[in-house]
Amino acid sequence: MAQCVQFVEEFVQDSFVPMVAVLCSEEAERATRKNNLNFTELLRPFCRLTSEGHIRDPNNQLQVVKNLRICVNNVMTNPNTASAALSPAQRRLLNEVVLSCQPQEGAVTNVITAGDYNLNFNDHSLKASTPWYSAWREALLEVSTSQHYTATTPWFKAYRENFLQTMPASDHEFLNHYLACLLVVSSTEAVPVEQFLKLSQEQHRIQHSGEYTNPKWFIPNTLKYYVLLHDMSEGDEQRADVLYEDMKQRYGAQGCYLLKINSRASSTAEDEQIPDPWSQYLHRNNLQNQDMLDDLAVNNAAVESSISTAEVDSLQSTEKDGVSNSLESHPLQLDEGSGMGALHTLSAANTDVKKGARDPESTAGGAGSHGVCLTLNDHDHIRQFIQEFTFRGLLPHIEKNIRQLNDQLVSRKGLSRSLFTATKKWFGGGKGPEKSVHEPKSTCGLLYPPEAPELQIRKMADLCFLVQHYELAYSCYHTAKKDFLSDQAMLYAAGALEMAAVSAFLHAGAARSYPAHYMDTAIQTYRDVCKNMVLAERCTLLSAEILKSQGKYSEAATLLIKMTSEDSDLRSALLLEQAAHCFINMRNPMVRKFAFHMILAGHRFSKAGQRRHALRCYCQAMQVYKERGWALAEDHINFTIGRQSFTLRQPENAVLAFKQILTNDSRQMATQQAAFLREYLYVYKSVMGEKEASLPMLPLPCIHSSATRVYFGHERRLAEGEKQAATHVSLDQDYDQDLAAMWCHLEEQLVASANRGTVPVNFQQTQCCLNSQTDNLRHPLAVVEEPMIVELTFRNPLKVSLALSNLSLLWRFTPDAASPSKEKMPEEFMGETITNEETLALGMTQKDDIVTTETIPNFHIGPEETKTARLRLLPHRTGQLNIVGVVYNLAEASSGETAPSTDSQQTANLMVVRGKQDLMIQGPRLNQTKEDKMLVRHGPDRRLDPIITPNMPLMEVFFLHFPTALLCGEIRKAYVEFCNVSSVALSGLRVASTHPDFFTFGSQATTPVTPLSPTSAKNCSAYKTLATVNQPGSVAFEVLVSAEDFSQLSTVVEIPIEGNVLEPGESTQLPLWLRGPDQEGVHEINFLFYYESVEKGTKISHRVLRHTVFICASRSLSVQASASRSSVPPHHCQDDKGCSGTLVVIDVENINTSESGVREFHIVQVSSSSQHWQLHKCINPARDKDCKLTSRERAKLCFRAKRCKPHQVTSGGMEKYTFADLNLGHERIVSSSTPCGDFFFHCCRTTESQRADVESSRTSSSSKSQDPSEDKASDLNNIVKKCNELDLNIIVIWKAFVVEDNKQLILEGQLHVALQTIGKEATSLTPKEEAQEMVLLKFKSEQPPPVVVPSAELSQLIKTNLHYPETYTHPFVQNSLCLVPVTLTLSNCSPAHVDIIVDLRHKSTSPESLEVHNSFNWVGQTQYKLQLRPEEVLCLTLQACFIQAGVYNLNTPRVFAKPAEQGTMCETSQQTSSPALIIINNA
């Protein structure tokens, strides 16, 4: 690429150097062949002069010649004339030059920063796609503003130099014509003078006979320089000196030279290590040194194709030998100081390789090292010889010819002054030369004879240019250009314009800037007018370097792009690459243009057979397109990189490139993606053919590692006949955080129950299914001989189907040293980590004795489909298991073929590759410490790293006759079966549920005898029934039951199995009673079964089994009950004198809808259960049948309740419940046995817990008050509350007749109503929660309401009854006053002493009293002050006085009552009761 300005000047100078021919005798050639060199090759490393030379111009001004280089070539006679295009041999040479110069491996990275791009020219970002990448050393270098650097391209320099050196000589210019001829004769010749004469005559014949058009000679009088070559190892040195003295006498001291070489014998060559300066200068294929007459008939296309083919054939040998390190400028370092002397192209290694493959008859260089017979003194002799020849022979010869040509031109043209004096006008200013050329009449123009003045001017200009007299050269070129244009000699004019521009650039003191338009005109003329692409290319190469040295990268890039054409892919590729580098080196880098032109260059390199360079171009362009949204461009580049890498026998890199295409979300069409996939599979297959023992990573399909789920344990068995298996946990269930918390709460209850009420500190929730939302910080515990199922989520990003086969898991297993089964384990496995990767890779038998690995034979994934696969492992040993990946065969799914033929099956098998993907799950981000919050840290996720523990019990649960729909309160009997399917006994069987009132296993003391294997539930009652005869007015059957008989009243239920142990393989079946929920709707009911191993101290302390059912509850009956005190006085009670009369009214309504098929309900029994009260008898029993209710019918039942006997309450010192049964039919259901009693106690526990919550809230709120008046009010409330407490629980047992499938079924159930307070109604329906109504926002707290004495409640302290005759006959005629005795009964209903005041002076003003037509008076004592003890009954005898007949209301006494030690009296509610009417008749 571009160097600094001084290096560009060197390059341009070295492009045009004096040409010197060589003619050697056979003896001289033999002497040089001892060093594996011919004479021209011997001189080549020393052709650059290290000292300055001088000449004088026609004006006798001294000119300094610096850093001059000469070119020495053998004289090759070739009848070929100059052509407008390169010959096939030249094209092949240039192709091989570029092919041989490749980037070196392990080079320091050259980074160019362009905007937000960092372009690495030993690319790190494309490590997967760069074949020559070996190491990464980041070296970020800033782009300098004064000197522009870029990535070095030694292949372009090598091409450029070889192109300039192999250009055919042309008649319109003389720069590459020979100026002199070296005649070389050995001192061993018998008569060296005769040999000199022969060689001189041969040179004269070649130049002047006209037989040969090549080589071309600069001037007719060519300088002949006579060289006597003396071999120090053979010849006589004295004889050589004598011969040299004779030569000086004959040819002059400035025309001859004695060169002594071979100062040491070849036998001693191995003793000393002499530098070898020839290796880097030896061309592998030099046109001047080869006989290529047989190649001339080959056309260009054939050469291009042969080059491409030969390149591929020679790749292996090139890669084996490597790339030589002898290049002075490293191809991937910044080109800061290398001169053109180090840019001769090919290394010796590649030279030998190519020579053996292509040109066995090459004369350049033989086997072994070069210069083996030369010492360092010999090197100095050769260097001195070149200097002497140049300074004493060549430069004076050129100076003399310049003077002669100047004199001839002045005399012929008649100029008044020399050309040199006129140059100041042209260089100093004035009118500039024309910038364009009109189209000439002929394409080639005329041809000048050799003696034409125009050619003499051109010849003089070329001579001045070669000796660095650029000022005089420019004036001559400028003059010649005008003459050529006036004569329409376009080829000559273009050449003059080209060299005038170069001379102007090289002339350091010129005031005029570089005339780039001269070059543009010359290139246009060469290309479009003369059709000479060779000269146009040379002109482009020179102009581009000059423009780049001046920082005009845009103009240089435009110039280079214009020279691209279809006639040469290699030239177009190199120029496009250089144009791309121009874009990246601009002040504002054009990065995308760089990438685009690198892609074009890579394409042309590929067409030219330069696959390595094509690959490099695509890799560098990829840096721009990668990860910037250019998806299609990325796919194209990766696809090309993959193909080129595979062609270059680099299948690993090809696999990585194709992997990039398949990994990214591609926007390609389905057909294109299918092609990509086929290419990848084919390349991958070739890679795997070499490495069968390893499993490489596959890019498809994508695995969502975080979505991986792991299930531990057997998959549940489905229903078997009438059996329904427990749901437990399965991979089909979605994870719910709330449900997980609920299960954890249930498990904590079970663990606390098993550990005396406390949860252990090391408690861990049992997790059978692990996913991304569970706690995976600890190693999960799995059980030996129990399977693990790993669910993987695959995603196919392509639009074509994928066929996976033989899909299985990769695992690594470390056996447990303390394993009880270590005697069975092979010794080679003990203490070592075992894996199944090798067996899966080689297709061997898997290690089923350690872990059985399930294989999915076929797994098809559709286009862009996400699909899960479940893979199973069965561990047989205890230890640490790590699931590390998944292995499978990948192929493209064949579309539309269900049964392929044998041939297609074989083809498909060829396109199947085997590989793996690792399972790496990233844990949750840590956010605990400050460092965690500042950094991005993730915790471990160990869901794929289970610890295999010894055997544990495993239980399965089955349900029989388990319903899915129930009526509210319906009782259904089902069966549950527990099976121990493991080899270890289990114990401690418990169950917890979210609805403990839904089921019961019954109490062993009260459970009725049931068959172990029920066959049908039809007409089979779940209750314990007794046949009775229902008589009107019969009293209730009473049973006294202790609450301890129903021991399962906690939230955790111990399941009563025989012996509390279930042995391995055994099963047991227990009855289970269910009761429909009281609220209609669908209820989710969860059971959690708990069990332990008989063996203690295991890693897994317990195991659980989940079961979830959904019960649809539909409405049945609505029961409303209320209690009130009876107005009948206690001493009128016939049954029990201690009975205080309380009436219980039960209102039953059928609220069932007709959809459930229930025809009618029968109220078969009403029972009560309480510690203090019981139902005594039914007041309005049905005459012959139980109570029937059809849809929306209501029935009212009235019962009398009484208190329980005192001895029943306190007997035994424990809680006793009195169950009273009042059957309305002919069967009595024992309510105190299972299941009626169990569900009653369940309901009581639920009601009491709700009531306790309310009481605790009241207590907490009342505890805040400290006012004495509030304390008195609370005491009064307690007294009133105790007075009105009832605590009577009503159990309504019903039967429903249902028609299903033309069969009538009888359903039964029970509803509970808890009567707590007299006068308050209770219902069996649970109230639904209503939405809270919107209330106004209050900004000020309200004042607490004043304490109001609850008069309504206090009025219930005393119950009053008036007893009197309904009619009374009195003869008013005889006696005007009628006295009637009336008894007032006062009953204390409270448990405290009550003060009573009875006032008879009250005259009623109530509307009921006013309806009575006359009034009466009480006679006798009109006020009583009494005190009643708790539960005391007192009778007062009163007298009412009537003065006339009529109907009177006797309910006029006012009764005031208050608890003792209270200051406020309150009137009883007797006044507001119904009037007590008496009829007074007149006798």
Side-chain angles (χ1 to χ4, degrees), residues 528-578:
D528 300 335
V529 179
C530 303
K531 307 299 181 184
N532 193 321
M533 296 300 295
V534 177
L535 294 174
E537 182 178 352
R538 183 188 71 180
C539 198
T540 301
L541 295 176
L542 295 173
S543 182
E545 293 302 323
I546 294 172
L547 290 172
K548 287 187 286 186
S549 69
Q550 297 176 346
K552 299 178 180 179
Y553 289 99
S554 178
E555 293 84 350
T558 304
L559 197 64
L560 292 167
I561 294 171
K562 284 182 179 179
M563 269 306 295
T564 58
S565 60
E566 293 299 325
D567 61 329
S568 175
D569 289 317
L570 180 62
R571 181 187 71 236
S572 300
L574 290 167
L575 297 185
L576 284 169
E577 182 183 12
Q578 294 305 304

Side-chain angles (χ1 to χ4, degrees), residues 40-59:
T40 57
E41 294 169 347
L42 182 69
L43 301 182
R44 194 161 295 158
F46 311 100
C47 286
R48 184 176 294 279
L49 300 181
T50 57
S51 58
E52 296 180 354
H54 301 85
I55 65 168
R56 291 190 178 272
D57 60 17
N59 282 351

Side-chain angles (χ1 to χ4, degrees), residues 1276 1280 1348-1357 1465-1469:
L1276 188 58
V1280 174
V1348 180
V1349 178
S1351 58
E1353 284 78 5
L1354 284 176
S1355 64
Q1356 303 294 329
L1357 294 176
M1465 280 286 184
C1466 183
E1467 187 176 359
T1468 65
S1469 60

Side-chain angles (χ1 to χ4, degrees), residues 226-506:
Y226 300 90
V227 181
L228 182 63
L229 188 64
H230 177 65
D231 189 346
M232 298 292 290
S233 61
E234 293 183 1
D236 185 1
E237 188 174 359
Q238 293 181 355
R239 182 175 181 269
D241 293 337
V242 173
L243 290 174
Y244 178 57
E245 291 296 329
D246 183 44
M247 288 172 59
K248 288 194 288 184
Q249 294 294 329
R250 186 181 299 271
Y251 306 117
Q254 296 182 353
C256 60
Y257 192 83
L258 173 61
L259 179 60
K260 299 178 181 180
I261 62 171
N262 297 344
S263 299
R264 64 172 181 168
S266 60
S267 60
T268 62
E270 292 80 7
D271 298 339
E272 294 183 57
Q273 293 295 330
I274 302 297
D276 182 6
W278 292 274
S279 297
Q280 57 184 329
Y281 291 97
L282 294 181
H283 290 69
R284 177 231 169 274
N285 200 353
N286 197 331
L287 284 177
Q288 285 80 8
N289 298 329
Q290 296 185 43
D291 184 13
M292 294 187 173
L293 295 177
D294 54 342
D295 292 338
L296 298 179
V298 182
N299 58 28
N300 294 342
V303 172
E304 293 277 357
S305 62
S306 67
I307 291 168
S308 301
T309 307
E311 177 206 356
V312 177
D313 296 338
S314 64
L315 279 175
Q316 283 183 324
S317 61
T318 305
E319 292 171 0
K320 291 176 182 177
D321 293 332
V323 180
S324 172
N325 293 326
S326 61
L327 284 178
E328 183 180 327
S329 175
H330 200 290
L332 294 177
Q333 290 176 345
L334 292 183
D335 191 3
E336 296 178 352
S338 61
M340 290 305 297
L343 294 179
H344 292 279
T345 57
L346 301 180
S347 65
N350 285 318
T351 300
D352 295 338
V353 172
K354 302 277 180 194
K355 187 181 299 178
R358 297 277 189 86
D359 192 12
E361 298 180 358
S362 175
T363 60
S369 60
H370 307 100
V372 292
C373 298
L374 301 176
T375 63
L376 293 178
N377 289 331
D378 293 336
H379 293 187
D380 293 336
H381 293 159
I382 299 173
R383 189 176 292 109
Q384 186 178 1
F385 158 66
I386 293 295
Q387 189 166 341
E388 285 291 325
F389 163 71
T390 304
F391 290 162
R392 302 183 64 182
L394 185 60
L395 289 182
H397 178 70
I398 294 175
E399 180 181 340
K400 182 183 69 174
N401 281 278
I402 290 176
R403 289 179 178 275
Q404 290 177 358
L405 288 172
N406 183 59
D407 295 340
Q408 291 177 13
L409 291 173
V410 170
S411 62
R412 288 187 182 182
K413 301 286 283 188
L415 298 177
S416 60
R417 50 192 171 87
S418 67
L419 289 172
F420 179 73
T421 58
T423 55
K424 293 182 180 179
K425 174 184 175 182
W426 295 317
F427 274 94
K431 183 180 178 181
E434 49 270 37
K435 298 183 179 181
S436 62
V437 178
H438 298 288
E439 187 68 23
K441 296 179 181 178
S442 61
T443 57
C444 294
L446 55 88
L447 294 177
Y448 292 97
E451 299 82 9
E454 292 81 3
L455 289 188
Q456 300 304 317
I457 297 177
R458 173 62 197 253
K459 190 174 293 186
M460 179 180 171
D462 289 345
L463 283 174
C464 294
F465 185 88
L466 291 176
V467 294
Q468 303 176 8
H469 196 342
Y470 301 117
E471 183 178 4
L472 184 56
Y474 178 82
S475 64
C476 294
Y477 286 132
H478 197 273
T479 302
K481 180 259 302 182
K482 288 185 176 181
D483 295 339
F484 292 143
L485 287 177
S486 63
D487 295 337
Q488 290 291 300
M490 304 311 300
L491 181 61
Y492 296 89
L497 282 169
E498 175 187 5
M499 295 312 298
V502 174
S503 300
F505 170 71
L506 293 176

Side-chain angles (χ1 to χ4, degrees), residues 24 153 215 257 319 472 688 771 801 833 871 873 906 991 1001 1005 1052 1081 1088 1195 1396:
C24 286
T153 50
Y257 192 83
E319 292 171 0
L472 184 56
M688 290 305 298
N771 53 43
S801 300
T833 299
L871 299 167
L873 294 177
Q906 293 177 354
V991 63
F1001 285 94
V1052 176
L1088 188 63
I1396 301 174

Side-chain angles (χ1 to χ4, degrees), residues 628-646:
R628 293 186 179 270
W630 301 79
L632 298 179
E634 281 189 70
D635 291 345
H636 168 74
I637 296 172
N638 277 314
F639 182 72
T640 307
I641 289 173
R643 279 199 164 182
Q644 296 288 3
S645 299
F646 183 73

Side-chain angles (χ1 to χ4, degrees), residues 182-248:
L182 297 178
L183 305 178
V184 186
V185 175
S186 175
S187 61
T188 58
E189 296 278 355
V191 185
V193 178
E194 292 183 359
Q195 289 296 327
F196 280 125
L197 181 60
K198 288 182 181 179
L199 293 177
S200 178
Q201 292 174 353
E202 178 68 17
Q203 188 276 332
H204 188 274
R205 185 182 65 83
I206 292 173
Q207 180 177 358
H208 297 289
S209 65
E211 299 178 8
Y212 307 102
T213 57
N214 283 321
K216 296 184 181 296
W217 304 91
F218 205 102
I219 52 180
N221 186 18
T222 302
L223 171 66
K224 296 183 179 64
Y225 197 81
Y226 300 90
V227 181
L228 182 63
L229 188 64
H230 177 65
D231 189 346
M232 298 292 290
S233 61
E234 293 183 1
D236 185 1
E237 188 174 359
Q238 293 181 355
R239 182 175 181 269
D241 293 337
V242 173
L243 290 174
Y244 178 57
E245 291 296 329
D246 183 44
M247 288 172 59
K248 288 194 288 184

